Amino acid sequence: MTTTHAPATSRVKSTRRRRPINWRKSGAWVLVAIAVAVSVLPFYWVLRTALSTNGSLATNASNLLPADFNLGAFKRVFGLQSPEEAIADGGSGAQIDFWIYLRNSVLFAAITTASAVFFSAMAAYAFARLRWRGRNVVFSLFLATMMVPPIFTALPNFLLIKNMGLLNSMLGLVLPYIFMTPFAIFFLRQFFLNMSREVEEAAKLDGASHLRIFFQIILPNAAAPLATLALLTFIGQWNEYFWPLLVGQDESVRVLTVGLGVFKSQSPQGAPDWSGLMAATLVSALPVLILFAIFGKKIVNSIGFSGIK
Amino acid sequence: MKKKTIGSLAAAAAAVLALSACGGGSSAEAGKGEINYWLWDANQLPAYKQCAEDFTKANPDITVKVTQRGWDDYWGTLTNGFVAGTAPDVFTDHLGKYPEFIKNKQLLALDDAVAKDNVDTGAYNAGLADLWVGEDGKRYGLPKDWDTIALFYNTKLATDAGVSAAQMADLTWNPDDGGSYEKTIAHLTVDKNGVRGDEAGFDKNNVEVYGLGLTGSGSGQGQTEWSYLTGTTGWTHTDKNPWGKKFNYDDPKFQESIDWFAGLVEKGYMPKLETTVGASMADTFAAGKSVINANGSWMIGQYTGYKDVQVGIAPTPKGVSGKRASMYNGLADSIYAGTKKPEAAIKWVEYLGSTACQDVVASKAVVFPAITTSADKAVEAFKAKGVDVTAFSQQVDDGTTFLFPIADNAAKVDGIMKPAMDAVVSGKAPASSLTAANEQVNALFK
Amino acid sequence: MTTLTRNASPAEQVLPGTRRRRGRGDVKIALFFIAPAMIGFVLFYLVPTLRGIYLSFTEYSILGEPEWIGVANYQAIAKDPLFWNALGVTTQYVLINIVLQTALALGLALLMHRVAKSTIIRGALLLPYLMANVIAALLWFWLLDYQIGIVNFLIDSIGLPKIAFFGSAEWAIPTQALINTWRHMGYTALLIFAGLQSIPSHLYEVANLDGASPMQTFRKITLPLLRPVLALVLIVTIIGSFQVFDTVAVTTQGGPVNASRVLQFYIYQKAFTESDFGYGSALAVILFAILAIVAFIQMKFLKGNESDLD
């Protein structure tokens, strides 16, 4: 990546500096700080709870520090406590194979994200850049799928996967997601609409095929939205719960959300294993955070960069 | 027709993906192989895993795969399993749910097996086995455990108020003035200025500690909320139990009791309903926000698990009849009608309902097993852990329990009664408004 | 600078809505491009939806066999006070959500775009989205608890009356909307931010040279060019809000009384808890129709199909 600096932003910045309205900027920073605080502070409570002992949480409800500091919750998440120890700590007696769940979650989220984003990009290209009869009708239909209440689809899809003999397999888990997500198509179409046709038309005059245009012009130019979309899709898939719960009951394909679901309240009127739940939340968010830390910079850069080869 | 469409589409998709769909081989004999067993309470998982191991030792050609999933996911995934034919062979069943399953023919009747294998249903605590006989006279489950209601109380706060354990064990109640139960609750209530609920100058709008905790309005059952009181007035939920056809929420006796109950909020002795939506009542109890909590025996572990909180357990008050009362609820293991291994499943269910397994469950001191001798062992096991649970077991020993109301349309009744009771307990409507709700409920049975 | 210039002349600029070179069309190639998505669409969306519509004309308990009863479910819904209540409650939720979320997200996106460019800030704002819906709801359920929640401790300590966030009829829905806003604010901001980034920089240059004020620049350049993305964000937020379910299910379960019985939760109760799947399906079809109409109006109104790039 050669030109990493976004011209737009740098210009705005420099013009800003010339004007004597620095208070405006500091005001803006205050707003950003508030937004960040609101977003992040609850996570302190998550951490504080994760480091607490369950039996002491309620008695120290207003204490800002961990109540009875203890790493037991994290041990539970990694399946390092015996069932008896876990129950004594206010956890459940369920066995946890953390690393297997992690592997399954990574596979599930990665496969569905990569595949859905790619196929959705293809479809979005057809909806935004190609001219064909019935295009808007078909697009409206696709868009409408976003409005189908999930209650409708879960059961028939479950039956379908079952009839294909794919229950408790990774393929069965990913299948409904790999072809597209309506959101991804919609999202990319909106971006493709905004792209200039000039280069595309020029390429066409040069005799380039649609396939080449798609791969060599459209995709590279949409790097930023594609990366954003991939990240958001990945997070969404990472947190997917109900479908994996239905289809991936088997230990071998159980994903993190389902495996760590045992920290929620297991019986009516019972309280959740709060510290375990919060530790699980932190630990399961970590891989996505790492992902963001690694690719976040790339996303920033590619967003500012809008070049063609 | 529908199936065909899905089938052919499935085939098409399979072709596109060049997949070879592999159907699971299900040719194993009915009495052999692996069977699936589900339960929701993770605290009991170790006990039942132990049972499964012991069972396989005795029946080497059958293995049991125990799967646990929390209450919130349990019924949804089970229903999906019924539809798709993938439900577990054996599962923990609830009285509130099984009428629906019978209606839809999802459960296997156990009568033949019970007769053939001479299962002694008399070994279970009186009444428990009858709960699992459907309206058609057939048996759909073997009892596994039971629960009753008692009063958990914070011994330190009670002692501070001068209320002794002996007093707590000897409370009385009536719907007119609330008896010594209300007096004790009032006395245990403290406002922000340290004034008690029965003293002059008590500020009911700024209460620091409530005498009685509140979980919710109790919907149509009031299992832990008010059924231990209404049960002493001679009132019953339905005209007969099990399989009642008419509910009695229009009974003045009942409405009077509920008016008293809702009145506690008005007097400032019990938290407002709107403030109880959130953390569990047990957690607020541990935080010292209430002194007495009426709750079920399945919560013993929760209440005694808090650090730095001393918990006493007292029996529910003696009521209008001069006796105590507690709802008596039980779980059972049922067999899925679509099981491919009915013989193995029956063996497992019978083992679950036997002394061998229930003694193992008893030893873990989590719940009371259904078999009388095993339940006694559980009481001992609790005692060994330093918890005196006689307040729960004495209701059974004294015969002061009444059975959980079993009726069709449980979910629909709940859908009507929950908002109706919420309105009453939150003081938005008088208990007499329940007459209208009762009409709606009874209309379901016409 | 290899920046792709976007000042295509008006003649070159083809609005996708117009069918200039009809006849010729790219049908074959288009088919190729949408084929994979089409498989997913048909298998996992279209078929279940058609099945759902069929079931809405039946009496069906999931476990039994569906029985055709015509429009009886729809007639019953028209007279069902709980349905109308659910519709009202859901609308309230949607409105609060849209206004708050879109306004906040737009503001944040602009701030991210102009002032706070750091990845760390962007990551921090996205943090709530990393938490699954159900967990976020549980966390706030606890933070906001009346008796032992830390937020009410803080409110109490500064001398204000405590708030029954989930338990009181007035607060139940706004609280749910606030939790949702908390979780999605950064996410939505990121979407808009991505849209801002795709606005060609030279337009801002020109505006600057012309001496346009920031406000004018925003109204004349940013907002119009953001239209496709804003349309997307609004539609996605509205659809998402209409389908609110998780937070209600793990917190108030429709209460107090009926104050938070949103449509999707009511559908769930009818279809699964009360085993009236036919009725639930009919409710779902109505929800679907409402969403389709709203989305249609929005697309027209916001001209989401077009860009103002010229």
Side-chain angles (χ1 to χ4, degrees):
Chain A
M1 229 148 274
T2 44
T3 44
T4 52
H5 214 82
T9 47
S10 66
R11 293 247 162 67
V12 172
K13 207 195 246 167
S14 57
T15 50
R16 276 290 150 79
R17 245 179 230 133
R18 255 179 271 131
R19 291 180 189 174
I21 41 169
N22 254 339
W23 59 268
R24 192 191 277 266
K25 198 159 191 176
S26 33
W29 272 107
V30 170
L31 291 179
V32 172
I34 292 174
V36 169
V38 169
S39 299
V40 174
L41 275 184
F43 281 85
Y44 169 72
W45 207 247
V46 172
L47 180 67
R48 175 256 180 201
T49 308
L51 292 171
S52 300
T53 307
N54 260 322
S56 304
L57 276 172
T59 41
N60 295 287
S62 56
N63 191 340
L64 292 177
L65 293 174
D68 214 348
F69 183 88
N70 178 322
L71 290 175
F74 286 97
K75 281 192 196 150
R76 275 203 291 296
V77 170
F78 290 105
L80 298 174
Q81 273 187 340
S82 73
E84 285 74 20
E85 271 180 301
I87 289 176
D89 271 6
S92 76
Q95 201 185 328
I96 292 172
D97 287 317
F98 180 83
W99 300 106
I100 293 182
Y101 304 160
L102 180 70
R103 180 202 65 191
N104 293 335
S105 269
V106 169
L107 277 177
F108 174 71
I111 293 173
T112 51
T113 303
S115 168
V117 168
F118 179 72
F119 288 141
S120 300
M122 285 175 62
Y125 175 72
F127 286 129
R129 311 299 278 191
L130 299 176
R131 282 174 215 94
W132 42 288
R133 273 164 71 109
R135 184 184 64 176
N136 286 343
V137 176
V138 176
F139 174 70
S140 304
L141 280 176
F142 271 69
L143 188 60
T145 57
M146 250 181 15
M147 301 154 207
V148 179
I151 287 175
F152 258 10
T153 53
L155 195 63
N157 287 349
F158 179 63
L159 281 173
L160 176 60
I161 295 296
K162 187 228 159 196
N163 291 337
M164 292 168 84
L166 294 176
L167 283 187
N168 289 320
S169 72
M170 189 48 82
L171 186 59
L173 270 182
V174 300
L175 205 54
Y177 298 101
I178 57 174
F179 297 107
M180 64 131 182
T181 71
F183 171 73
I185 293 181
F186 187 24
F187 177 91
L188 290 173
R189 172 186 177 269
Q190 297 304 83
F191 275 95
F192 291 168
L193 280 179
N194 236 5
M195 278 184 172
S196 161
R197 288 193 169 259
E198 200 177 53
V199 181
E200 198 185 336
E201 298 285 333
K204 237 183 238 170
L205 288 180
D206 288 350
S209 69
H210 279 289
L211 216 53
R212 245 189 86 184
I213 294 174
F214 177 67
F215 278 107
Q216 299 198 341
I217 298 174
I218 299 289
L219 285 190
N221 270 301
L226 279 172
T228 310
L229 177 70
L231 181 74
L232 296 177
T233 309
F234 190 89
I235 296 172
Q237 292 300 104
W238 188 261
N239 286 330
E240 188 62 49
Y241 179 72
F242 193 63
W243 179 253
L245 179 76
L246 284 182
V247 176
Q249 293 166 4
D250 206 73
E251 194 80 9
S252 62
V253 287
R254 194 176 295 170
V255 298
L256 265 183
T257 44
V258 176
L260 299 182
V262 297
F263 293 105
K264 288 191 294 182
S265 168
Q266 298 299 293
S267 47
Q269 291 184 8
D273 169 6
W274 280 115
S275 49
L277 184 68
M278 293 300 131
T281 303
L282 280 183
V283 170
S284 57
L286 214 56
V288 191
L289 267 184
I290 294 172
L291 202 73
F292 190 80
I294 298 172
F295 294 109
K297 264 263 172 319
K298 285 240 165 71
I299 293 173
V300 185
N301 291 343
S302 65
I303 282 174
F305 173 75
S306 47
I308 42 164
K309 284 180 183 166
Chain B
M1 168 216 94
K2 204 102 243 161
K3 249 182 203 139
K4 230 173 226 165
T5 331
I6 291 177
S8 56
L9 281 170
V16 167
L17 291 163
L19 295 168
S20 54
C22 48
S26 57
S27 55
E29 292 160 61
K32 279 187 187 167
E34 185 183 80
I35 53 172
N36 277 298
Y37 175 60
W38 281 13
L39 75 168
W40 66 78
D41 187 353
N43 289 325
Q44 299 185 45
L45 193 57
Y48 284 102
K49 280 205 164 146
Q50 171 88 50
C51 284
E53 273 172 35
D54 298 348
F55 175 73
T56 302
K57 263 180 218 146
N59 304 277
D61 47 356
I62 309 174
T63 53
V64 180
K65 190 173 169 208
V66 184
T67 302
Q68 177 274 336
R69 47 189 52 209
W71 174 267
D72 288 342
D73 300 324
Y74 191 85
W75 304 104
T77 43
L78 190 65
T79 307
N80 271 298
F82 286 150
V83 178
T86 57
D89 306 280
V90 182
F91 61 95
T92 308
D93 207 349
H94 191 276
L95 289 172
K97 308 276 180 184
Y98 97 107
E100 183 76 31
F101 297 159
I102 297 179
K103 207 197 251 171
N104 290 302
K105 304 186 179 65
Q106 297 299 326
L107 301 183
L108 198 69
L110 304 176
D111 302 84
D112 295 347
V114 165
K116 196 181 97 207
D117 299 329
N118 286 320
V119 176
D120 177 16
T121 51
Y124 303 113
N125 267 342
L128 285 182
D130 304 336
L131 288 172
W132 295 92
V133 176
E135 231 176 339
D136 54 4
K138 289 190 182 143
R139 163 167 304 285
Y140 291 102
L142 279 185
K144 63 189 300 152
D145 56 31
W146 53 265
D147 52 73
T148 53
I149 310 299
L151 307 177
F152 292 93
Y153 66 97
N154 186 319
T155 49
K156 186 180 172 298
L157 294 179
T159 312
D160 288 353
V163 176
S164 69
Q167 278 171 288
M168 282 300 299
D170 203 28
L171 296 169
T172 60
W173 173 83
N174 67 66
D176 306 322
D177 65 1
S180 67
Y181 189 40
E182 178 170 341
K183 287 197 182 72
T184 308
I185 291 170
H187 188 60
L188 291 170
T189 305
V190 186
D191 74 7
K192 274 207 169 140
N193 304 315
V195 180
R196 293 194 172 275
D198 54 357
E199 292 169 359
F202 169 68
D203 178 3
K204 67 175 188 181
N205 294 319
N206 283 298
V207 178
E208 190 67 36
V209 183
Y210 290 97
L212 186 63
L214 180 67
T215 26
S217 69
S219 185
Q221 276 143 0
Q223 184 175 15
T224 64
E225 293 84 359
W226 39 257
S227 70
Y228 65 97
L229 301 172
T230 55
T232 70
T233 64
W235 177 82
T236 53
H237 289 74
T238 47
D239 54 350
K240 58 175 179 165
N241 194 29
W243 311 109
K245 297 284 174 231
K246 190 178 157 292
F247 279 78
N248 300 324
Y249 301 118
D250 55 349
D251 187 328
K253 261 189 297 195
F254 172 72
Q255 296 186 352
E256 202 183 34
S257 306
I258 295 303
D259 267 329
W260 175 83
F261 184 70
L264 289 180
V265 176
E266 175 53 31
K267 291 168 190 159
Y269 302 158
M270 189 163 75
K272 289 196 175 81
L273 184 64
E274 62 179 51
T275 69
T276 63
V277 185
S280 73
M281 177 171 74
D283 278 351
T284 56
F285 171 86
K289 299 286 176 189
S290 58
V291 188
I292 302 176
N293 278 188
N295 219 328
S297 51
W298 66 90
M299 294 295 284
I300 296 172
Q302 179 85 36
Y303 275 92
T304 55
Y306 294 111
K307 295 194 173 169
D308 316 318
V309 182
Q310 295 301 314
V311 180
I313 308 176
T316 57
K318 286 180 183 151
V320 180
S321 61
K323 287 184 181 164
R324 309 180 194 283
S326 165
M327 192 181 275
Y328 192 35
N329 174 43
L331 303 181
D333 292 303
S334 294
I335 298 179
Y336 166 45
T339 177
K340 294 193 177 65
K341 301 189 177 69
E343 283 161 38
I346 283 166
K347 269 191 189 167
W348 169 238
V349 165
E350 286 178 358
Y351 184 78
L352 285 169
S354 73
T355 323
C357 178
Q358 302 217 342
D359 279 354
V360 171
V361 174
S363 70
K364 307 278 178 182
V366 183
V367 289
F368 298 108
I371 295 177
T372 314
T373 54
S374 304
D376 293 342
K377 284 183 184 157
V379 173
E380 290 305 312
F382 274 116
K383 195 176 275 173
K385 275 167 85 178
V387 186
D388 180 3
V389 294
T390 44
F392 290 104
S393 57
Q394 87 179 67
Q395 302 259 14
V396 179
D397 297 340
D398 298 350
T400 51
T401 56
F402 59 94
L403 295 175
F404 182 96
I406 299 168
D408 277 332
N409 301 315
K412 285 182 183 161
V413 172
D414 189 60
I416 296 167
M417 288 308 293
K418 174 87 170 45
M421 281 302 297
D422 279 3
V424 173
V425 175
S426 61
K428 293 199 176 75
S432 55
S433 67
L434 296 172
T435 303
N438 195 56
E439 276 163 22
Q440 274 181 282
V441 168
N442 284 335
L444 295 172
F445 292 85
K446 279 174 188 146
Chain C
M1 182 73 52
T2 53
T3 311
L4 171 61
T5 50
R6 299 176 196 235
N7 50 345
S9 67
E12 282 281 331
Q13 186 60 33
V14 183
L15 292 184
T18 61
R19 294 203 188 147
R20 221 178 40 170
R21 278 162 275 175
R22 274 198 77 166
R24 218 192 59 181
D26 306 311
V27 179
K28 271 187 193 155
I29 190 78
L31 258 174
F32 168 78
F33 272 99
I34 64 165
M38 195 54 109
I39 296 174
F41 169 71
V42 172
L43 275 188
F44 298 106
Y45 292 95
L46 189 63
V47 171
T49 306
L50 293 177
R51 178 179 172 278
I53 293 173
Y54 158 69
L55 288 177
S56 77
F57 295 103
T58 67
E59 185 170 332
Y60 178 46
S61 74
I62 306 191
L63 295 172
E65 285 294 314
E67 188 190 322
W68 185 268
I69 53 166
V71 294
N73 284 327
Y74 292 95
Q75 285 168 338
I77 288 173
K79 281 181 277 178
D80 181 355
L82 280 178
F83 163 71
W84 293 105
N85 170 69
L87 195 60
V89 169
T90 311
T91 311
Q92 193 194 345
Y93 174 89
V94 171
L95 287 180
I96 299 177
N97 228 346
I98 299 308
V99 172
L100 262 183
Q101 202 171 306
T102 319
L104 284 174
L106 183 58
L108 276 178
L110 288 170
L111 288 173
M112 289 202 275
H113 186 54
R114 302 215 180 137
V115 190
K117 290 184 199 68
S118 136
T119 326
I120 294 174
I121 289 180
R122 208 167 305 154
L125 291 173
L126 200 58
L127 215 48
Y129 188 66
L130 297 188
M131 199 183 274
N133 241 334
V134 171
I135 307 286
L138 276 175
L139 174 68
W140 283 103
F141 200 35
W142 200 40
L143 288 173
L144 298 177
D145 182 71
Y146 186 86
Q147 304 192 57
I148 58 172
I150 189 71
V151 174
N152 265 318
F153 270 114
L154 296 176
I155 292 177
D156 195 38
S157 66
I158 55 171
L160 293 172
K162 295 208 266 184
I163 299 169
F165 284 102
F166 291 98
S168 66
E170 312 81 66
W171 275 96
I173 280 295
T175 303
Q176 311 268 7
L178 282 172
I179 295 176
N180 189 63
T181 304
W182 175 76
R183 182 164 178 265
H184 285 93
M185 191 175 65
Y187 165 90
T188 315
L190 198 67
L191 291 184
I192 301 178
F193 176 75
L196 284 173
Q197 297 285 5
S198 69
I199 295 174
S201 51
H202 65 86
L203 293 178
Y204 288 112
E205 286 170 53
V206 175
N208 261 324
L209 290 177
D210 290 352
S213 75
M215 203 55 212
Q216 281 173 314
T217 317
F218 177 72
R219 276 188 31 225
K220 294 277 163 61
I221 298 176
T222 313
L223 218 43
L225 288 180
L226 215 49
R227 189 183 280 160
V229 174
L230 274 183
L232 167 101
V233 165
L234 270 174
I235 290 177
V236 169
T237 321
I238 288 191
I239 292 172
S241 313
F242 262 109
Q243 303 205 349
V244 53
F245 173 73
D246 293 353
T247 27
V248 174
V250 300
T251 59
T252 57
Q253 309 224 322
V257 193
N258 291 313
S260 63
R261 201 173 308 276
V262 292
L263 261 179
Q264 187 82 255
F265 188 72
Y266 189 51
I267 294 174
Y268 176 82
Q269 272 190 315
K270 280 287 170 199
F272 286 98
T273 319
E274 299 184 12
S275 304
D276 206 342
F277 205 86
Y279 196 84
S281 297
L283 285 168
V285 169
I286 292 173
L287 173 58
F288 179 74
I290 293 172
L291 288 176
I293 293 167
V294 170
F296 178 77
I297 293 172
Q298 276 185 313
M299 282 308 253
K300 285 280 168 220
F301 184 66
L302 292 163
K303 299 194 199 104
N305 277 330
E306 302 162 13
S307 158
D308 283 357
L309 215 54
D310 50 24

